Amino acid sequence: MTDLSNAAEKIFSGEMTIIDYVCELSAADSGREDCPSDLFYWESVRDARKNGKKLVFISGPAPLEILYALDCVPLYLDLLPARLSQNPVLTAKLINEAETRANASLCSLNKTNTGLLLKGVLGVVPDAFVSLPIPCDSARTACTELGRIVGAPSFHFDIPLRKDSRSLKYVEMQLGRFIGFIESIASKELDWEALKYRMELSNRAAELLEKCAALRAAKPCPLSSRLTIWNELMNAFAPTQEMEKLLTKELELCERRTSDAFTPCPDGEKHRVMLMHNLLWQGITLTEHLEASFGAVTVLDGFLFGARERFTRPDDKDDCFGVMSRRMLEGSRAHAAGASGDELLDAIELAKRDFSADVFLFLGSAGCRHAWASMKMVSDSVQEKYGQPMLLLDIDNTDSRYKSENEIKNAVDQYMDTVINKK
Ligand code: SF4
């Protein structure tokens, strides 16, 4: 395994590509029973052209079923900063690149993506770029920047902020044009049977993910929740057999542990945490710390926990395109921008009622400025309704120079000691 500072040096000198490095990081997770390894996905991105597929860069929750049905491999760009943030030296270099040569007002997640494309170190070249900006300023600006940099034909969805029937019609109209665009990239027409197969796989993944999430309500909770990671992976390869295999493994692990009354807390489960964050892979270290130091297991994480809409009438084209359009309108589930204040309050209600959460932590990325306004409102409501103060902590989800892992742990420790355990 390439060490952290060595990796940055190798990548910037052209000795190694980002994709090769990400494959290494994912391979290192392969032996962990409790953490998903997405190695097969990165290998499919790396080898797309070799396998006769078209490689499509995507930003935002694009209709994956159509892409996979047309033999395209989507590279979900958000997954790159999530993975690379494990290497602060490399991430800092990529952020600096974006600040110098592009837009300094982007959040660090978007700067990392922009920096690696500007530097030309990714190691794969796209056949097309599809953007579907989530509702935040940084994502919208980044989509335009990325479209300029990738140098491939691009399709930009215009997603309205309002979620009503007119907005839905507007997105459906764009979906029709999108299919034509991807057909021209793939040089073939969309085959409905191939699309039905992908929709069926998507349905199965959604069903498995919901079962995995529901099992965290068990007492004791068998495994800290990884919904943030799963939701991000769903945006990259939900309609694949590999995703089904990953989730089946997770479900079997949770079921086995539930029947054994297993808890990941070495001294027994004492608290149940709702962790609102988009720290992705780094979040695993924090959940492990909470388990070991406070007997606190994370029963829910991420921002939205609602069920994913399924394809229930696979032979009805209008119905299927309606489902895809509604999903696009809903926004990204792994970002703070994906949820409204009302939805966040509903999520807290669910965490209290169905998952017996008694600790509420919000680790908000400093770059997600819009999320702070709604979280202040949410934390005031939680205080008023349940008489419980939430921890609102500013961090950076990609750039650990803003707040180190130790600083984050110290702040969480203080909250656990003083507010929850009243020491
Ligand atoms: S929601 Fe936050 S992390 Fe996501 S793109 Fe917007 S500012 Fe960046």
Side-chain angles (χ1 to χ4, degrees):
M1 174 81 190
T2 314
D3 74 41
L4 297 185
S5 52
N6 222 349
E9 214 170 281
K10 280 185 172 177
I11 288 167
F12 271 65
S13 69
E15 215 183 300
M16 186 188 211
T17 67
I18 293 268
I19 288 293
D20 287 335
Y21 181 52
V22 170
C23 284
E24 266 197 19
L25 291 172
S26 299
D29 283 341
S30 300
R32 280 188 69 151
E33 192 189 27
D34 60 348
C35 177
S37 169
D38 50 0
L39 178 60
F40 76 89
Y41 172 66
W42 294 109
E43 287 176 341
S44 75
V45 168
R46 185 191 61 197
D47 302 335
R49 290 243 173 118
K50 204 166 79 187
N51 295 333
K53 313 269 183 193
K54 299 290 180 188
L55 182 62
V56 179
F57 287 7
I58 57 171
S59 181
L64 297 179
E65 296 79 11
I66 292 173
L67 289 166
Y68 278 105
L70 279 165
D71 271 337
C72 297
V73 175
L75 166 54
Y76 183 45
L77 292 173
D78 279 7
L79 279 173
L80 288 164
R83 271 297 185 185
L84 298 178
S85 60
Q86 293 169 11
N87 186 332
V89 183
L90 175 60
T91 305
K93 278 180 183 275
L94 296 171
I95 289 174
N96 289 345
E97 186 75 17
E99 283 174 347
T100 318
R101 294 176 53 196
N103 192 321
S105 70
L106 300 175
C107 71
S108 52
L109 180 144
N110 289 140
K111 277 182 194 161
T112 304
N113 274 342
T114 309
L116 66 90
L117 291 176
L118 278 170
K119 195 70 193 160
V121 288
L122 182 54
V124 286
V125 178
D127 292 289
F129 172 58
V130 175
S131 81
L132 210 142
I134 56 166
C136 92
D137 290 347
S138 179
R140 284 173 187 261
T141 312
C143 282
T144 315
E145 288 282 346
L146 295 174
R148 186 174 60 77
I149 301 165
V150 290
S154 43
F155 187 96
H156 297 268
F157 279 97
D158 179 23
I159 304 295
L161 293 176
R162 287 173 66 121
K163 298 177 187 175
D164 57 19
S165 56
R166 284 179 64 184
S167 301
L168 185 65
K169 269 207 160 41
Y170 181 54
V171 176
E172 280 172 349
M173 210 174 71
Q174 296 175 61
L175 187 59
R177 289 210 316 270
F178 167 73
I179 292 171
F181 170 78
I182 290 295
E183 283 176 334
S184 72
I185 298 293
S187 307
K188 60 162 94 165
E189 282 186 9
L190 183 62
D191 172 67
W192 197 259
E193 287 308 309
L195 183 60
K196 269 169 66 176
Y197 171 65
R198 295 295 171 177
M199 291 190 293
E200 175 55 32
L201 285 172
S202 242
N203 278 353
R204 270 189 248 157
E207 195 179 315
L208 285 164
L209 186 58
E210 279 162 36
K211 282 186 183 163
C212 290
L215 274 175
R216 265 59 181 218
K219 289 181 185 166
C221 171
L223 172 69
S224 273
S225 172
R226 308 267 190 259
L227 265 181
T228 311
I229 294 179
W230 285 119
N231 276 327
E232 193 90 350
L233 297 185
M234 289 287 275
N235 282 334
F237 51 89
T240 64
Q241 286 179 331
E242 287 79 6
M243 186 75 192
E244 189 182 3
K245 277 186 215 152
L246 274 185
L247 283 163
T248 304
K249 241 167 88 183
E250 164 102 352
L251 186 62
E252 284 168 1
L253 174 68
C254 284
E255 282 174 343
R256 197 170 60 243
R257 286 184 168 193
T258 304
S259 72
D260 293 345
F262 176 90
T263 168
C265 305
D267 299 320
E269 180 183 300
K270 298 184 181 74
H271 296 288
R272 296 169 68 87
V273 181
M274 180 185 191
L275 176 60
M276 300 171 112
H277 73 128
N278 53 5
L279 280 163
L280 303 173
W281 265 267
Q282 304 99 296
I284 294 175
T285 339
L286 183 64
T287 56
E288 285 170 350
H289 172 70
L290 283 163
E291 291 160 5
S293 304
F294 300 97
V297 64
T298 302
V299 289
L300 281 172
D301 73 311
F303 289 97
L304 280 177
F305 315 106
R308 276 171 191 259
E309 188 172 354
R310 315 278 165 78
F311 299 98
T312 50
R313 290 156 60 191
D315 288 310
D316 181 336
K317 285 190 182 183
D318 289 344
D319 191 68
C320 296
F321 291 152
V323 173
M324 289 177 198
S325 302
R326 278 192 291 280
R327 283 181 176 179
M328 285 192 273
L329 204 53
E330 270 182 22
S332 171
R333 284 165 185 266
H335 287 247
S340 69
D342 279 348
E343 285 166 331
L344 289 170
L345 277 175
D346 287 349
I348 286 177
E349 176 86 33
L350 171 101
K352 268 267 176 219
R353 189 190 59 228
D354 296 351
F355 291 80
S356 312
D358 64 335
V359 176
F360 295 86
L361 308 177
F362 171 68
L363 305 191
S365 200
C368 304
R369 287 182 284 273
H370 48 279
W372 285 95
S374 53
M375 275 322 293
K376 173 73 177 78
M377 183 272 289
V378 169
S379 86
D380 287 350
S381 304
V382 171
Q383 172 80 55
E384 202 176 297
K385 197 165 173 192
Y386 304 112
Q388 189 170 351
M390 278 179 76
L391 173 68
L392 300 189
L393 184 66
D394 59 315
I395 50 109
D396 190 297
N397 60 6
T398 312
D399 188 355
S400 58
R401 290 173 300 176
Y402 182 84
K403 205 167 261 169
S404 70
E405 199 176 303
N406 273 344
E407 286 173 296
I408 297 172
K409 280 181 185 160
N410 285 343
V412 170
D413 287 358
Q414 274 184 25
Y415 171 80
M416 290 301 293
D417 282 339
T418 54
V419 178
I420 300 298
N421 291 332
K422 301 198 180 356
K423 279 190 181 162

